Amino acid sequence: MPETEEISKGLEDVNIKWTRLTTIDGNKGILRYGGYSVEDIIASGAQDEEIQYLFLYGNLPTEQELRKYKETVQKGYKIPDFVINAIRQLPRESDAVAMQMAAVAAMAASETKFKWNKDTDRDVAAEMIGRMSAITVNVYRHIMNMPAELPKPSDSYAESFLNAAFGRKATKEEIDAMNTALILYTDHEVPASTTAGLVAVSTLSDMYSGITAALAALKGPLHGGAAEAAIAQFDEIKDPAMVEKWFNDNIINGKKRLMGFGHRVYKTYDPRAKIFKGIAEKLSSKKPEVHKVYEIATKLEDFGIKAFGSKGIYPNTDYFSGIVYMSIGFPLRNNIYTALFALSRVTGWQAHFIEYVEEQQRLIRPRAVYVGPAERKYVPIAERK
Ligand code: COA
């Protein structure tokens, strides 16, 4: 690397906006949504829609406000046929998040009248949360070779999603676990995906294009892709007795990264990972095949913390979430776990876009430090040696 002025590599510790949505204390392992700690929210049995509302409207809803909000979300369950076709024309082996991108891009292509507007932005976002459920149901069902289906209004967003995805009535335990996962992935300030989406909407591009950009950034294994990559490594280990050997061969000697470990902001245990771990333990106890995966994960976690804890590298939210998704009944394939992450994060993305466009709008356009050759004279191709 040439000697040069300092650049902010990975934009570490650069503040790109202010926010009222989410606050993280990475040293103490604290995460709050609009001032409410995630532990409190989960312990009080909140419904995901209450948290969606909090992100879009700034306060927890009254019963009446929640009822009206749910109706707007449910309007979004009826996605047009061309969105379903955008998914179903793709090969079944496609990446689930890329399929979501194709579907959301189809919406961006058709919503030509979209305009940012304080009076309508939140309703657009709420309806899109409903649409994202229908999109994800159809991504899942296409991968699983099941016919197209739309979510139907029910008591909760989690329930409508699971009933439509599986084509059967989900159990209370499955719904509760899905509801918690949806809440825990709602928002996390400005990670790579939210930032990518903010760059898109800072050009005054539309909501759907912002979500498409965010999905593109979420897909990679260093971000949301870790939800699937973490569990793929447990799957590769296969047997709790093989954890130590696998860890030494791959992580210590092979210099691979332990997926689901480490975080740009948290230098201690991610509070979401603690909650996911508790649910993974409870749900997997009833399913021997999943319990074996949980055992591998906890053993590997001990080796990981021993090796990396002193560097501030601990389990992050993606370490145990895959076991929860697996216990609910989702298979490990096609990046489905990351698509489930996106189903939830679409709330945080849109809330940040609205906050930015309505109150802080300015084109995001950073600079690069040029380190290439000094001025050179152009030589026509025939004269080049
Ligand atoms: N396993 C092993 N070593 C890790 C690690 C991991 N999961 N995460 C970070 N490190 C090490 C790096 O090798 C580097 O070591 P070095 O200083 O000796 O070279 C050091 O920690 C700093 O890593 P860096 O990539 O600069 O930190 P970052 O802030 O950019 O990384 C992540 C954040 C999330 C990209 C990183 O922790 C990671 O790749 N984790 C695995 C993927 C993952 O779980 N992503 C989901 C995040 S929610």
Side-chain angles (χ1 to χ4, degrees):
M1 183 66 194
E3 286 279 312
T4 178
E5 295 170 45
E6 202 164 304
I7 57 162
S8 181
K9 220 173 155 197
L11 297 181
E12 184 163 0
D13 290 331
V14 173
N15 296 326
I16 62 161
K17 70 192 281 274
W18 50 251
T19 184
R20 300 184 191 94
L21 302 169
T22 293
T23 178
I24 308 168
D25 184 328
N27 294 320
K28 294 192 183 138
I30 293 172
L31 171 63
R32 292 196 195 103
Y33 293 160
Y36 302 101
S37 84
V38 287
E39 287 92 346
D40 250 20
I41 291 173
I42 301 299
S44 346
Q47 197 178 55
D48 181 40
E49 290 95 314
E50 293 175 67
I51 305 307
Q52 294 170 4
Y53 187 97
L54 170 70
F55 271 84
L56 297 183
Y57 298 91
N59 286 305
L60 288 170
T62 61
E63 284 187 357
Q64 198 188 352
E65 286 166 337
L66 187 62
R67 223 173 296 123
K68 187 160 169 273
Y69 171 75
K70 284 184 179 181
E71 281 170 15
T72 313
V73 172
Q74 288 163 1
K75 260 206 270 168
Y77 288 165
K78 293 196 190 81
I79 48 172
D81 285 348
F82 67 83
V83 176
I84 297 181
N85 293 340
I87 297 166
R88 295 194 82 87
Q89 72 188 358
L90 294 167
R92 259 185 247 297
E93 302 70 38
S94 305
D95 181 284
V97 180
M99 287 165 120
Q100 288 175 315
M101 281 165 69
V104 180
M107 302 224 37
S110 67
E111 295 278 340
T112 52
K113 294 202 173 68
F114 178 89
K115 285 253 175 325
W116 293 97
N117 177 340
K118 276 190 170 116
D119 297 332
T120 52
D121 288 344
R122 285 152 192 82
D123 288 350
V124 168
E127 200 172 330
M128 183 59 208
I129 290 170
R131 287 167 164 178
M132 194 64 172
S133 172
I135 287 170
T136 311
V137 161
N138 280 289
V139 164
Y140 175 73
R141 290 179 65 92
H142 183 48
I143 290 171
M144 301 306 287
N145 201 8
M146 294 158 90
E149 182 61 279
L150 295 178
K152 312 263 179 318
S154 73
D155 269 358
S156 77
Y157 187 74
E159 182 176 356
S160 296
F161 173 74
L162 290 179
N163 287 351
F166 295 152
R168 64 166 170 82
K169 209 165 162 26
T171 65
K172 180 167 181 332
E173 197 169 54
E174 290 165 344
I175 296 165
D176 288 349
M178 191 67 205
N179 182 69
T180 302
L182 283 163
I183 292 176
L184 290 179
Y185 272 125
T186 302
D187 188 50
H188 210 233
E189 203 217 60
V190 285
S193 55
T194 315
T195 303
L198 283 166
V199 171
V201 302
S202 85
T203 70
L204 293 183
S205 189
D206 61 280
M207 186 82 93
Y208 312 100
S209 299
I211 297 169
T212 312
L215 283 164
L218 183 78
K219 184 168 168 286
L222 295 188
H223 188 7
E228 182 124 345
I231 200 149
Q233 76 198 348
F234 311 147
D235 205 49
E236 188 186 313
I237 298 172
K238 290 195 172 59
D239 185 342
M242 297 306 292
V243 169
E244 185 167 10
K245 181 174 171 0
W246 185 92
F247 184 76
N248 287 331
D249 290 353
N250 290 275
I251 307 297
I252 300 297
N253 300 322
K255 303 256 174 272
K256 279 202 221 157
R257 287 192 176 207
L258 185 54
M259 301 313 280
F261 254 65
H263 198 275
R264 177 63 66 77
V265 182
Y266 290 117
K267 299 305 163 202
T268 184
Y269 214 106
D270 182 330
R272 302 166 299 173
K274 274 190 204 153
I275 301 172
F276 270 129
K277 185 178 179 181
I279 309 172
E281 182 180 13
K282 190 170 147 230
L283 291 186
S284 68
S285 66
K286 292 182 191 151
K287 298 190 174 179
E289 266 318 291
V290 188
H291 190 67
K292 198 161 126 197
V293 181
Y294 176 76
E295 249 187 88
I296 293 171
T298 47
K299 251 186 131 177
L300 184 62
E301 178 193 14
D302 289 342
F303 284 102
I305 293 178
K306 243 181 241 149
F308 304 124
S310 59
K311 288 168 79 178
I313 298 171
Y314 284 88
N316 61 51
T317 190
D318 298 328
Y319 192 76
F320 288 106
S321 63
I323 303 179
V324 172
Y325 291 142
M326 192 178 258
S327 305
I328 294 173
F330 291 103
L332 174 66
R333 59 193 273 195
N334 302 49
N335 223 359
I336 287 171
Y337 296 168
T338 310
L340 296 173
F341 177 158
L343 169 66
S344 163
R345 188 55 61 88
V346 75
T347 299
W349 288 334
Q350 295 187 100
H352 276 283
F353 300 167
I354 290 172
E355 207 173 50
Y356 189 81
V357 173
E358 289 186 359
E359 299 175 65
Q360 309 169 60
Q361 169 55 36
R362 194 171 184 217
L363 176 74
I364 298 175
R365 200 299 188 194
R367 297 296 313 270
V369 180
Y370 180 71
V371 295
E375 190 176 2
R376 294 194 274 184
K377 184 149 177 38
Y378 179 83
V379 181
I381 194 160
E383 295 167 28
R384 279 178 225 157
K385 296 196 181 88

